[in-house]
Amino acid sequence: APEDGYTARTRHVLALEEAARGLHGARETLEATRSGDLVAEELRRVQDALGEITGAVSADELLGRIFSSFCIGK
């Protein structure tokens, strides 16, 4: 067990990091351009990343991401 008492799957950590990047990008975009459309795209990235944790991402999409890292030889 980790010393700090927290455990997380690597996939969840990566999703949280992606969400944080999206929030940072949304803030920068809003400050630089004041473009709602561009900010909405960044927030969509955040929603998609958090959806991987909450289960809002489709099972097929999640399986595709998981198995994309495997090399299956013939």
Side-chain angles (χ1 to χ4, degrees):
E3 293 177 12
D4 62 4
Y6 292 101
T7 61
R9 295 178 186 251
T10 301
R11 181 173 59 85
H12 292 173
V13 171
L14 294 174
L16 288 171
E17 290 172 348
E18 178 65 21
R21 282 191 296 273
L23 288 172
H24 182 72
R27 180 179 180 180
E28 287 183 343
T29 299
L30 182 61
E31 290 173 352
T33 68
R34 302 283 185 209
S35 171
D37 290 341
L38 295 176
V39 171
E41 180 59 26
E42 290 292 337
L43 293 177
R44 185 199 56 77
R45 284 179 49 204
V46 173
Q47 182 180 18
D48 289 347
L50 294 176
E52 290 188 30
I53 297 170
T54 64
V57 174
S58 73
D60 288 339
E61 185 178 359
L62 181 58
L63 288 174
R65 289 181 185 177
I66 291 170
F67 289 107
S68 70
S69 62
F70 291 99
C71 178
I72 301 174
K74 292 185 178 187

Short mmCIF file of all heavy atoms in Angstrom, two decimals:
data_model
loop_
_atom_site.label_atom_id
_atom_site.label_comp_id
_atom_site.label_asym_id
_atom_site.label_seq_id
_atom_site.Cartn_x
_atom_site.Cartn_y
_atom_site.Cartn_z
N ALA A 1 0.84 -1.19 0.00
CA ALA A 1 0.00 0.00 0.00
C ALA A 1 0.88 1.24 0.00
O ALA A 1 1.87 1.30 0.70
CB ALA A 1 -0.91 0.02 1.21
N PRO A 2 0.50 2.24 -0.75
CA PRO A 2 1.28 3.48 -0.79
C PRO A 2 1.32 4.15 0.58
O PRO A 2 0.39 4.06 1.36
CB PRO A 2 0.55 4.36 -1.80
CG PRO A 2 -0.31 3.43 -2.57
CD PRO A 2 -0.62 2.28 -1.67
N GLU A 3 2.39 4.84 0.86
CA GLU A 3 2.56 5.49 2.15
C GLU A 3 1.51 6.59 2.38
O GLU A 3 1.09 6.82 3.50
CB GLU A 3 3.96 6.07 2.25
CG GLU A 3 5.03 5.00 2.30
CD GLU A 3 6.42 5.59 2.33
OE1 GLU A 3 6.56 6.81 2.53
OE2 GLU A 3 7.35 4.83 2.14
N ASP A 4 1.12 7.27 1.34
CA ASP A 4 0.18 8.37 1.51
C ASP A 4 -1.28 7.91 1.57
O ASP A 4 -2.18 8.71 1.77
CB ASP A 4 0.35 9.41 0.40
CG ASP A 4 0.07 8.85 -0.98
OD1 ASP A 4 -0.34 7.69 -1.11
OD2 ASP A 4 0.26 9.61 -1.95
N GLY A 5 -1.53 6.63 1.38
CA GLY A 5 -2.87 6.11 1.51
C GLY A 5 -3.74 6.22 0.27
O GLY A 5 -4.88 5.81 0.28
N TYR A 6 -3.21 6.77 -0.79
CA TYR A 6 -4.00 6.93 -2.01
C TYR A 6 -3.49 5.97 -3.08
O TYR A 6 -2.30 5.76 -3.22
CB TYR A 6 -3.88 8.36 -2.56
CG TYR A 6 -4.54 9.38 -1.67
CD1 TYR A 6 -3.79 10.17 -0.82
CD2 TYR A 6 -5.91 9.54 -1.67
CE1 TYR A 6 -4.38 11.10 0.00
CE2 TYR A 6 -6.51 10.46 -0.85
CZ TYR A 6 -5.73 11.25 -0.01
OH TYR A 6 -6.33 12.16 0.80
N THR A 7 -4.41 5.42 -3.83
CA THR A 7 -4.05 4.61 -4.98
C THR A 7 -4.89 5.09 -6.16
O THR A 7 -5.99 5.59 -6.00
CB THR A 7 -4.33 3.12 -4.75
OG1 THR A 7 -5.72 2.93 -4.50
CG2 THR A 7 -3.52 2.57 -3.59
N ALA A 8 -4.34 4.98 -7.32
CA ALA A 8 -5.08 5.36 -8.53
C ALA A 8 -4.52 4.56 -9.68
O ALA A 8 -3.33 4.28 -9.75
CB ALA A 8 -4.94 6.85 -8.81
N ARG A 9 -5.37 4.21 -10.54
CA ARG A 9 -4.91 3.53 -11.75
C ARG A 9 -4.21 4.55 -12.63
O ARG A 9 -4.57 5.72 -12.67
CB ARG A 9 -6.10 2.94 -12.50
CG ARG A 9 -6.79 1.85 -11.73
CD ARG A 9 -7.99 1.36 -12.53
NE ARG A 9 -8.72 0.41 -11.74
CZ ARG A 9 -8.76 -0.89 -11.99
NH1 ARG A 9 -8.11 -1.38 -13.01
NH2 ARG A 9 -9.45 -1.69 -11.22
N THR A 10 -3.22 4.09 -13.33
CA THR A 10 -2.46 4.97 -14.22
C THR A 10 -3.38 5.69 -15.19
O THR A 10 -3.23 6.88 -15.44
CB THR A 10 -1.40 4.17 -14.98
OG1 THR A 10 -0.54 3.54 -14.03
CG2 THR A 10 -0.59 5.04 -15.91
N ARG A 11 -4.37 4.98 -15.67
CA ARG A 11 -5.32 5.57 -16.62
C ARG A 11 -6.05 6.76 -16.00
O ARG A 11 -6.25 7.79 -16.65
CB ARG A 11 -6.32 4.49 -17.04
CG ARG A 11 -7.36 4.91 -18.02
CD ARG A 11 -8.19 3.73 -18.50
NE ARG A 11 -8.88 3.01 -17.45
CZ ARG A 11 -10.07 3.36 -16.95
NH1 ARG A 11 -10.69 4.42 -17.42
NH2 ARG A 11 -10.64 2.65 -16.00
N HIS A 12 -6.40 6.65 -14.73
CA HIS A 12 -7.08 7.75 -14.05
C HIS A 12 -6.15 8.94 -13.86
O HIS A 12 -6.57 10.09 -14.05
CB HIS A 12 -7.64 7.30 -12.71
CG HIS A 12 -8.77 6.33 -12.83
ND1 HIS A 12 -9.31 5.70 -11.74
CD2 HIS A 12 -9.46 5.88 -13.90
CE1 HIS A 12 -10.29 4.91 -12.13
NE2 HIS A 12 -10.39 4.99 -13.44
N VAL A 13 -4.92 8.67 -13.50
CA VAL A 13 -3.95 9.74 -13.31
C VAL A 13 -3.73 10.48 -14.63
O VAL A 13 -3.71 11.71 -14.68
CB VAL A 13 -2.62 9.20 -12.75
CG1 VAL A 13 -1.54 10.26 -12.75
CG2 VAL A 13 -2.83 8.64 -11.35
N LEU A 14 -3.59 9.73 -15.70
CA LEU A 14 -3.39 10.35 -17.02
C LEU A 14 -4.62 11.17 -17.41
O LEU A 14 -4.48 12.25 -17.99
CB LEU A 14 -3.09 9.28 -18.07
CG LEU A 14 -1.77 8.54 -17.89
CD1 LEU A 14 -1.66 7.40 -18.91
CD2 LEU A 14 -0.60 9.48 -17.99
N ALA A 15 -5.80 10.67 -17.10
CA ALA A 15 -7.03 11.42 -17.42
C ALA A 15 -7.09 12.71 -16.61
O ALA A 15 -7.47 13.76 -17.14
CB ALA A 15 -8.26 10.55 -17.14
N LEU A 16 -6.70 12.67 -15.35
CA LEU A 16 -6.69 13.89 -14.54
C LEU A 16 -5.66 14.89 -15.05
O LEU A 16 -5.92 16.09 -15.06
CB LEU A 16 -6.42 13.54 -13.07
CG LEU A 16 -7.57 12.84 -12.35
CD1 LEU A 16 -7.11 12.35 -10.98
CD2 LEU A 16 -8.77 13.76 -12.22
N GLU A 17 -4.52 14.39 -15.48
CA GLU A 17 -3.50 15.28 -16.05
C GLU A 17 -4.01 15.93 -17.33
O GLU A 17 -3.80 17.12 -17.56
CB GLU A 17 -2.21 14.51 -16.31
CG GLU A 17 -1.49 14.12 -15.03
CD GLU A 17 -0.31 13.19 -15.26
OE1 GLU A 17 -0.16 12.64 -16.37
OE2 GLU A 17 0.46 13.00 -14.29
N GLU A 18 -4.71 15.17 -18.16
CA GLU A 18 -5.28 15.71 -19.39
C GLU A 18 -6.35 16.76 -19.07
O GLU A 18 -6.42 17.81 -19.71
CB GLU A 18 -5.88 14.60 -20.24
CG GLU A 18 -6.54 15.06 -21.52
CD GLU A 18 -5.57 15.69 -22.52
OE1 GLU A 18 -4.35 15.45 -22.44
OE2 GLU A 18 -6.04 16.45 -23.39
N ALA A 19 -7.17 16.49 -18.05
CA ALA A 19 -8.19 17.45 -17.64
C ALA A 19 -7.54 18.74 -17.16
O ALA A 19 -7.99 19.84 -17.50
CB ALA A 19 -9.08 16.86 -16.55
N ALA A 20 -6.47 18.62 -16.40
CA ALA A 20 -5.77 19.81 -15.90
C ALA A 20 -5.18 20.62 -17.05
O ALA A 20 -5.27 21.85 -17.06
CB ALA A 20 -4.67 19.42 -14.92
N ARG A 21 -4.62 19.93 -18.04
CA ARG A 21 -4.08 20.64 -19.22
C ARG A 21 -5.20 21.35 -19.96
O ARG A 21 -5.03 22.48 -20.42
CB ARG A 21 -3.36 19.66 -20.15
CG ARG A 21 -1.96 19.28 -19.70
CD ARG A 21 -1.19 18.53 -20.77
NE ARG A 21 -1.81 17.25 -21.10
CZ ARG A 21 -1.56 16.10 -20.46
NH1 ARG A 21 -0.72 16.08 -19.45
NH2 ARG A 21 -2.15 14.99 -20.83
N GLY A 22 -6.35 20.70 -20.08
CA GLY A 22 -7.48 21.31 -20.76
C GLY A 22 -7.99 22.55 -20.03
O GLY A 22 -8.32 23.56 -20.66
N LEU A 23 -8.06 22.49 -18.70
CA LEU A 23 -8.49 23.65 -17.93
C LEU A 23 -7.49 24.80 -18.07
O LEU A 23 -7.88 25.96 -18.22
CB LEU A 23 -8.66 23.29 -16.46
CG LEU A 23 -9.87 22.42 -16.13
CD1 LEU A 23 -9.82 21.97 -14.68
CD2 LEU A 23 -11.16 23.17 -16.43
N HIS A 24 -6.23 24.46 -18.03
CA HIS A 24 -5.19 25.49 -18.21
C HIS A 24 -5.30 26.11 -19.61
O HIS A 24 -5.25 27.34 -19.76
CB HIS A 24 -3.81 24.87 -18.00
CG HIS A 24 -2.69 25.85 -18.11
ND1 HIS A 24 -2.45 26.81 -17.16
CD2 HIS A 24 -1.75 26.03 -19.07
CE1 HIS A 24 -1.40 27.54 -17.53
NE2 HIS A 24 -0.97 27.08 -18.68
N GLY A 25 -5.50 25.25 -20.60
CA GLY A 25 -5.65 25.74 -21.97
C GLY A 25 -6.88 26.61 -22.14
O GLY A 25 -6.86 27.62 -22.85
N ALA A 26 -7.98 26.23 -21.50
CA ALA A 26 -9.21 27.02 -21.58
C ALA A 26 -9.00 28.40 -20.98
O ALA A 26 -9.44 29.40 -21.55
CB ALA A 26 -10.35 26.29 -20.86
N ARG A 27 -8.32 28.44 -19.87
CA ARG A 27 -8.06 29.73 -19.22
C ARG A 27 -7.18 30.61 -20.11
O ARG A 27 -7.47 31.80 -20.31
CB ARG A 27 -7.40 29.52 -17.87
CG ARG A 27 -7.11 30.81 -17.16
CD ARG A 27 -6.49 30.57 -15.83
NE ARG A 27 -6.23 31.85 -15.19
CZ ARG A 27 -5.70 31.98 -14.01
NH1 ARG A 27 -5.38 30.92 -13.32
NH2 ARG A 27 -5.48 33.16 -13.51
N GLU A 28 -6.11 30.02 -20.64
CA GLU A 28 -5.22 30.80 -21.52
C GLU A 28 -5.96 31.29 -22.76
O GLU A 28 -5.79 32.43 -23.19
CB GLU A 28 -4.02 29.96 -21.93
CG GLU A 28 -3.01 29.76 -20.82
CD GLU A 28 -1.80 28.98 -21.28
OE1 GLU A 28 -1.85 28.30 -22.33
OE2 GLU A 28 -0.78 29.05 -20.57
N THR A 29 -6.78 30.42 -23.34
CA THR A 29 -7.54 30.79 -24.53
C THR A 29 -8.52 31.91 -24.23
O THR A 29 -8.64 32.86 -25.00
CB THR A 29 -8.28 29.56 -25.09
OG1 THR A 29 -7.31 28.56 -25.45
CG2 THR A 29 -9.11 29.91 -26.30
N LEU A 30 -9.20 31.79 -23.10
CA LEU A 30 -10.16 32.83 -22.73
C LEU A 30 -9.47 34.17 -22.53
O LEU A 30 -9.93 35.20 -23.01
CB LEU A 30 -10.91 32.42 -21.46
CG LEU A 30 -11.98 33.38 -20.97
CD1 LEU A 30 -13.08 33.53 -22.03
CD2 LEU A 30 -12.58 32.88 -19.66
N GLU A 31 -8.33 34.15 -21.85
CA GLU A 31 -7.61 35.39 -21.59
C GLU A 31 -7.04 35.99 -22.88
O GLU A 31 -7.04 37.20 -23.05
CB GLU A 31 -6.47 35.14 -20.59
CG GLU A 31 -6.98 34.86 -19.19
CD GLU A 31 -5.88 34.44 -18.22
OE1 GLU A 31 -4.73 34.20 -18.65
OE2 GLU A 31 -6.19 34.34 -17.02
N ALA A 32 -6.60 35.14 -23.79
CA ALA A 32 -5.94 35.62 -25.01
C ALA A 32 -6.92 36.01 -26.11
O ALA A 32 -6.71 36.99 -26.82
CB ALA A 32 -4.98 34.56 -25.54
N THR A 33 -8.00 35.24 -26.26
CA THR A 33 -8.86 35.44 -27.43
C THR A 33 -10.29 35.84 -27.11
O THR A 33 -10.99 36.35 -27.98
CB THR A 33 -8.93 34.16 -28.27
OG1 THR A 33 -9.63 33.15 -27.54
CG2 THR A 33 -7.56 33.67 -28.67
N ARG A 34 -10.74 35.54 -25.90
CA ARG A 34 -12.14 35.77 -25.52
C ARG A 34 -13.10 35.05 -26.48
O ARG A 34 -14.23 35.48 -26.69
CB ARG A 34 -12.49 37.25 -25.47
CG ARG A 34 -11.66 38.05 -24.52
CD ARG A 34 -12.11 37.82 -23.12
NE ARG A 34 -11.35 38.71 -22.22
CZ ARG A 34 -11.10 38.42 -20.97
NH1 ARG A 34 -11.53 37.30 -20.47
NH2 ARG A 34 -10.42 39.23 -20.22
N SER A 35 -12.61 33.95 -27.07
CA SER A 35 -13.41 33.19 -28.02
C SER A 35 -14.12 32.04 -27.31
O SER A 35 -13.48 31.08 -26.86
CB SER A 35 -12.52 32.63 -29.13
OG SER A 35 -13.25 31.72 -29.93
N GLY A 36 -15.43 32.13 -27.24
CA GLY A 36 -16.22 31.07 -26.62
C GLY A 36 -16.07 29.74 -27.31
O GLY A 36 -16.04 28.70 -26.66
N ASP A 37 -15.97 29.75 -28.64
CA ASP A 37 -15.83 28.51 -29.39
C ASP A 37 -14.53 27.80 -29.05
O ASP A 37 -14.50 26.57 -28.87
CB ASP A 37 -15.89 28.76 -30.90
CG ASP A 37 -17.26 29.18 -31.37
OD1 ASP A 37 -18.24 28.92 -30.63
OD2 ASP A 37 -17.36 29.75 -32.46
N LEU A 38 -13.44 28.55 -28.96
CA LEU A 38 -12.15 27.93 -28.66
C LEU A 38 -12.11 27.44 -27.22
O LEU A 38 -11.56 26.38 -26.93
CB LEU A 38 -11.01 28.92 -28.92
CG LEU A 38 -10.83 29.34 -30.38
CD1 LEU A 38 -9.74 30.39 -30.49
CD2 LEU A 38 -10.50 28.13 -31.25
N VAL A 39 -12.71 28.19 -26.31
CA VAL A 39 -12.76 27.77 -24.91
C VAL A 39 -13.62 26.50 -24.80
O VAL A 39 -13.27 25.57 -24.07
CB VAL A 39 -13.32 28.89 -24.00
CG1 VAL A 39 -13.58 28.38 -22.59
CG2 VAL A 39 -12.35 30.06 -23.98
N ALA A 40 -14.72 26.45 -25.52
CA ALA A 40 -15.60 25.28 -25.49
C ALA A 40 -14.85 24.03 -25.94
O ALA A 40 -15.06 22.95 -25.39
CB ALA A 40 -16.83 25.52 -26.37
N GLU A 41 -13.98 24.15 -26.93
CA GLU A 41 -13.20 23.00 -27.40
C GLU A 41 -12.27 22.51 -26.29
O GLU A 41 -12.13 21.31 -26.07
CB GLU A 41 -12.40 23.36 -28.65
CG GLU A 41 -11.57 22.24 -29.20
CD GLU A 41 -12.35 21.00 -29.58
OE1 GLU A 41 -13.55 21.11 -29.90
OE2 GLU A 41 -11.77 19.89 -29.55
N GLU A 42 -11.63 23.42 -25.59
CA GLU A 42 -10.75 23.03 -24.48
C GLU A 42 -11.57 22.36 -23.37
O GLU A 42 -11.15 21.35 -22.80
CB GLU A 42 -10.01 24.24 -23.91
CG GLU A 42 -8.96 24.81 -24.83
CD GLU A 42 -7.77 23.89 -25.02
OE1 GLU A 42 -7.51 23.01 -24.17
OE2 GLU A 42 -7.07 24.04 -26.04
N LEU A 43 -12.74 22.90 -23.09
CA LEU A 43 -13.59 22.31 -22.04
C LEU A 43 -14.13 20.94 -22.46
O LEU A 43 -14.35 20.08 -21.61
CB LEU A 43 -14.72 23.26 -21.67
CG LEU A 43 -14.27 24.56 -20.99
CD1 LEU A 43 -15.47 25.47 -20.74
CD2 LEU A 43 -13.51 24.27 -19.71
N ARG A 44 -14.30 20.73 -23.76
CA ARG A 44 -14.70 19.40 -24.25
C ARG A 44 -13.61 18.40 -23.93
O ARG A 44 -13.87 17.27 -23.54
CB ARG A 44 -14.98 19.43 -25.75
CG ARG A 44 -15.51 18.10 -26.28
CD ARG A 44 -15.35 17.97 -27.80
NE ARG A 44 -13.99 18.16 -28.24
CZ ARG A 44 -13.01 17.24 -28.14
NH1 ARG A 44 -13.24 16.09 -27.58
NH2 ARG A 44 -11.80 17.49 -28.60
N ARG A 45 -12.34 18.81 -24.09
CA ARG A 45 -11.21 17.93 -23.74
C ARG A 45 -11.28 17.56 -22.26
O ARG A 45 -11.03 16.40 -21.89
CB ARG A 45 -9.87 18.62 -24.01
CG ARG A 45 -9.48 18.69 -25.45
CD ARG A 45 -8.15 19.40 -25.66
NE ARG A 45 -7.11 18.90 -24.76
CZ ARG A 45 -6.05 19.60 -24.40
NH1 ARG A 45 -5.88 20.84 -24.82
NH2 ARG A 45 -5.14 19.08 -23.61
N VAL A 46 -11.59 18.53 -21.43
CA VAL A 46 -11.69 18.28 -19.99
C VAL A 46 -12.82 17.28 -19.72
O VAL A 46 -12.64 16.31 -18.98
CB VAL A 46 -11.95 19.59 -19.21
CG1 VAL A 46 -12.21 19.31 -17.74
CG2 VAL A 46 -10.77 20.55 -19.39
N GLN A 47 -13.96 17.51 -20.34
CA GLN A 47 -15.11 16.62 -20.15
C GLN A 47 -14.78 15.20 -20.61
O GLN A 47 -15.12 14.23 -19.93
CB GLN A 47 -16.31 17.16 -20.92
CG GLN A 47 -17.55 16.32 -20.75
CD GLN A 47 -18.72 16.88 -21.52
OE1 GLN A 47 -18.56 17.69 -22.43
NE2 GLN A 47 -19.91 16.46 -21.17
N ASP A 48 -14.12 15.06 -21.73
CA ASP A 48 -13.74 13.73 -22.22
C ASP A 48 -12.78 13.04 -21.26
O ASP A 48 -12.92 11.84 -20.99
CB ASP A 48 -13.09 13.83 -23.60
CG ASP A 48 -14.07 14.19 -24.70
OD1 ASP A 48 -15.30 14.12 -24.46
OD2 ASP A 48 -13.61 14.55 -25.81
N ALA A 49 -11.81 13.79 -20.75
CA ALA A 49 -10.84 13.21 -19.83
C ALA A 49 -11.52 12.75 -18.54
O ALA A 49 -11.27 11.64 -18.06
CB ALA A 49 -9.73 14.22 -19.52
N LEU A 50 -12.38 13.58 -17.99
CA LEU A 50 -13.09 13.20 -16.76
C LEU A 50 -14.08 12.07 -17.03
O LEU A 50 -14.32 11.23 -16.15
CB LEU A 50 -13.80 14.41 -16.16
CG LEU A 50 -12.87 15.51 -15.65
CD1 LEU A 50 -13.69 16.70 -15.16
CD2 LEU A 50 -11.95 15.00 -14.56
N GLY A 51 -14.61 12.03 -18.24
CA GLY A 51 -15.52 10.95 -18.61
C GLY A 51 -14.86 9.59 -18.59
O GLY A 51 -15.52 8.57 -18.35
N GLU A 52 -13.55 9.55 -18.79
CA GLU A 52 -12.84 8.28 -18.70
C GLU A 52 -12.86 7.74 -17.28
O GLU A 52 -12.84 6.54 -17.06
CB GLU A 52 -11.40 8.44 -19.18
CG GLU A 52 -11.30 8.68 -20.67
CD GLU A 52 -9.87 8.65 -21.15
OE1 GLU A 52 -9.04 7.95 -20.54
OE2 GLU A 52 -9.58 9.33 -22.13
N ILE A 53 -12.89 8.62 -16.32
CA ILE A 53 -12.91 8.21 -14.92
C ILE A 53 -14.33 7.89 -14.47
O ILE A 53 -14.57 6.90 -13.79
CB ILE A 53 -12.31 9.30 -14.02
CG1 ILE A 53 -10.84 9.51 -14.38
CG2 ILE A 53 -12.47 8.95 -12.55
CD1 ILE A 53 -10.21 10.71 -13.74
N THR A 54 -15.27 8.72 -14.87
CA THR A 54 -16.65 8.55 -14.40
C THR A 54 -17.42 7.50 -15.18
O THR A 54 -18.51 7.12 -14.78
CB THR A 54 -17.42 9.88 -14.49
OG1 THR A 54 -17.52 10.27 -15.86
CG2 THR A 54 -16.75 10.96 -13.67
N GLY A 55 -16.87 7.07 -16.30
CA GLY A 55 -17.55 6.06 -17.10
C GLY A 55 -18.38 6.64 -18.22
O GLY A 55 -19.10 5.92 -18.89
N ALA A 56 -18.29 7.93 -18.45
CA ALA A 56 -19.07 8.56 -19.50
C ALA A 56 -18.51 8.25 -20.89
O ALA A 56 -19.17 8.50 -21.88
CB ALA A 56 -19.13 10.07 -19.30
N VAL A 57 -17.32 7.69 -20.95
CA VAL A 57 -16.73 7.30 -22.23
C VAL A 57 -17.28 5.93 -22.59
O VAL A 57 -17.43 5.07 -21.73
CB VAL A 57 -15.18 7.26 -22.11
CG1 VAL A 57 -14.55 6.72 -23.36
CG2 VAL A 57 -14.65 8.63 -21.78
N SER A 58 -17.55 5.72 -23.85
CA SER A 58 -18.13 4.45 -24.27
C SER A 58 -17.15 3.31 -24.02
O SER A 58 -15.93 3.48 -24.04
CB SER A 58 -18.50 4.48 -25.75
OG SER A 58 -17.34 4.43 -26.55
N ALA A 59 -17.69 2.13 -23.77
CA ALA A 59 -16.87 0.95 -23.50
C ALA A 59 -15.98 0.63 -24.69
O ALA A 59 -14.82 0.27 -24.52
CB ALA A 59 -17.75 -0.23 -23.15
N ASP A 60 -16.51 0.76 -25.90
CA ASP A 60 -15.72 0.47 -27.10
C ASP A 60 -14.53 1.41 -27.21
O ASP A 60 -13.42 0.99 -27.54
CB ASP A 60 -16.58 0.57 -28.36
CG ASP A 60 -17.55 -0.58 -28.49
OD1 ASP A 60 -17.31 -1.63 -27.87
OD2 ASP A 60 -18.54 -0.42 -29.23
N GLU A 61 -14.75 2.68 -26.91
CA GLU A 61 -13.67 3.65 -26.97
C GLU A 61 -12.59 3.34 -25.93
O GLU A 61 -11.40 3.39 -26.20
CB GLU A 61 -14.21 5.07 -26.76
CG GLU A 61 -13.16 6.14 -26.92
CD GLU A 61 -13.73 7.54 -26.77
OE1 GLU A 61 -14.94 7.69 -26.56
OE2 GLU A 61 -12.94 8.48 -26.86
N LEU A 62 -13.04 3.00 -24.74
CA LEU A 62 -12.10 2.68 -23.67
C LEU A 62 -11.30 1.43 -24.01
O LEU A 62 -10.07 1.40 -23.85
CB LEU A 62 -12.85 2.48 -22.35
CG LEU A 62 -12.00 2.16 -21.13
CD1 LEU A 62 -10.96 3.25 -20.89
CD2 LEU A 62 -12.88 2.00 -19.92
N LEU A 63 -11.96 0.39 -24.50
CA LEU A 63 -11.24 -0.82 -24.89
C LEU A 63 -10.25 -0.54 -26.01
O LEU A 63 -9.14 -1.06 -26.01
CB LEU A 63 -12.23 -1.91 -25.32
CG LEU A 63 -13.04 -2.52 -24.19
CD1 LEU A 63 -14.09 -3.48 -24.76
CD2 LEU A 63 -12.14 -3.24 -23.21
N GLY A 64 -10.64 0.31 -26.95
CA GLY A 64 -9.73 0.68 -28.02
C GLY A 64 -8.48 1.35 -27.50
O GLY A 64 -7.36 1.07 -27.95
N ARG A 65 -8.64 2.21 -26.52
CA ARG A 65 -7.49 2.89 -25.92
C ARG A 65 -6.61 1.93 -25.15
O ARG A 65 -5.40 1.99 -25.20
CB ARG A 65 -7.95 4.02 -25.01
CG ARG A 65 -8.52 5.18 -25.77
CD ARG A 65 -8.94 6.28 -24.85
NE ARG A 65 -9.61 7.33 -25.59
CZ ARG A 65 -10.13 8.39 -25.05
NH1 ARG A 65 -10.05 8.56 -23.74
NH2 ARG A 65 -10.71 9.31 -25.78
N ILE A 66 -7.24 1.02 -24.40
CA ILE A 66 -6.47 0.06 -23.61
C ILE A 66 -5.67 -0.86 -24.53
O ILE A 66 -4.48 -1.07 -24.34
CB ILE A 66 -7.40 -0.75 -22.69
CG1 ILE A 66 -7.96 0.15 -21.60
CG2 ILE A 66 -6.66 -1.95 -22.09
CD1 ILE A 66 -9.07 -0.50 -20.78
N PHE A 67 -6.33 -1.43 -25.54
CA PHE A 67 -5.66 -2.39 -26.38
C PHE A 67 -4.77 -1.78 -27.45
O PHE A 67 -3.99 -2.48 -28.08
CB PHE A 67 -6.70 -3.35 -27.01
CG PHE A 67 -7.27 -4.30 -25.99
CD1 PHE A 67 -8.56 -4.15 -25.54
CD2 PHE A 67 -6.50 -5.32 -25.48
CE1 PHE A 67 -9.09 -5.01 -24.59
CE2 PHE A 67 -7.01 -6.18 -24.53
CZ PHE A 67 -8.30 -6.04 -24.08
N SER A 68 -4.84 -0.48 -27.63
CA SER A 68 -3.96 0.17 -28.61
C SER A 68 -2.50 0.09 -28.19
O SER A 68 -1.61 0.21 -29.02
CB SER A 68 -4.36 1.63 -28.82
OG SER A 68 -4.07 2.39 -27.66
N SER A 69 -2.25 -0.15 -26.91
CA SER A 69 -0.88 -0.24 -26.44
C SER A 69 -0.30 -1.65 -26.55
O SER A 69 0.88 -1.85 -26.29
CB SER A 69 -0.79 0.25 -24.98
OG SER A 69 -1.56 -0.58 -24.15
N PHE A 70 -1.11 -2.61 -26.93
CA PHE A 70 -0.63 -3.96 -27.07
C PHE A 70 -0.20 -4.23 -28.51
O PHE A 70 -0.85 -3.80 -29.46
CB PHE A 70 -1.73 -4.98 -26.71
CG PHE A 70 -2.05 -4.99 -25.26
CD1 PHE A 70 -3.14 -4.31 -24.77
CD2 PHE A 70 -1.27 -5.71 -24.36
CE1 PHE A 70 -3.46 -4.31 -23.43
CE2 PHE A 70 -1.56 -5.72 -23.02
CZ PHE A 70 -2.67 -5.03 -22.54
N CYS A 71 0.86 -4.95 -28.65
CA CYS A 71 1.32 -5.36 -29.99
C CYS A 71 0.99 -6.83 -30.15
O CYS A 71 1.50 -7.68 -29.41
CB CYS A 71 2.83 -5.13 -30.13
SG CYS A 71 3.47 -5.66 -31.72
N ILE A 72 0.14 -7.12 -31.08
CA ILE A 72 -0.28 -8.50 -31.31
C ILE A 72 0.37 -8.99 -32.59
O ILE A 72 0.07 -8.50 -33.68
CB ILE A 72 -1.82 -8.62 -31.39
CG1 ILE A 72 -2.44 -8.12 -30.09
CG2 ILE A 72 -2.21 -10.07 -31.70
CD1 ILE A 72 -3.94 -8.06 -30.11
N GLY A 73 1.28 -9.92 -32.45
CA GLY A 73 2.00 -10.46 -33.61
C GLY A 73 1.33 -11.70 -34.14
O GLY A 73 0.53 -12.34 -33.47
N LYS A 74 1.65 -12.04 -35.38
CA LYS A 74 1.08 -13.24 -35.99
C LYS A 74 2.13 -14.31 -36.06
O LYS A 74 3.28 -14.12 -36.10
CB LYS A 74 0.56 -12.93 -37.38
CG LYS A 74 -0.64 -12.03 -37.33
CD LYS A 74 -1.19 -11.85 -38.71
CE LYS A 74 -2.44 -10.98 -38.63
NZ LYS A 74 -3.12 -10.88 -39.86
#
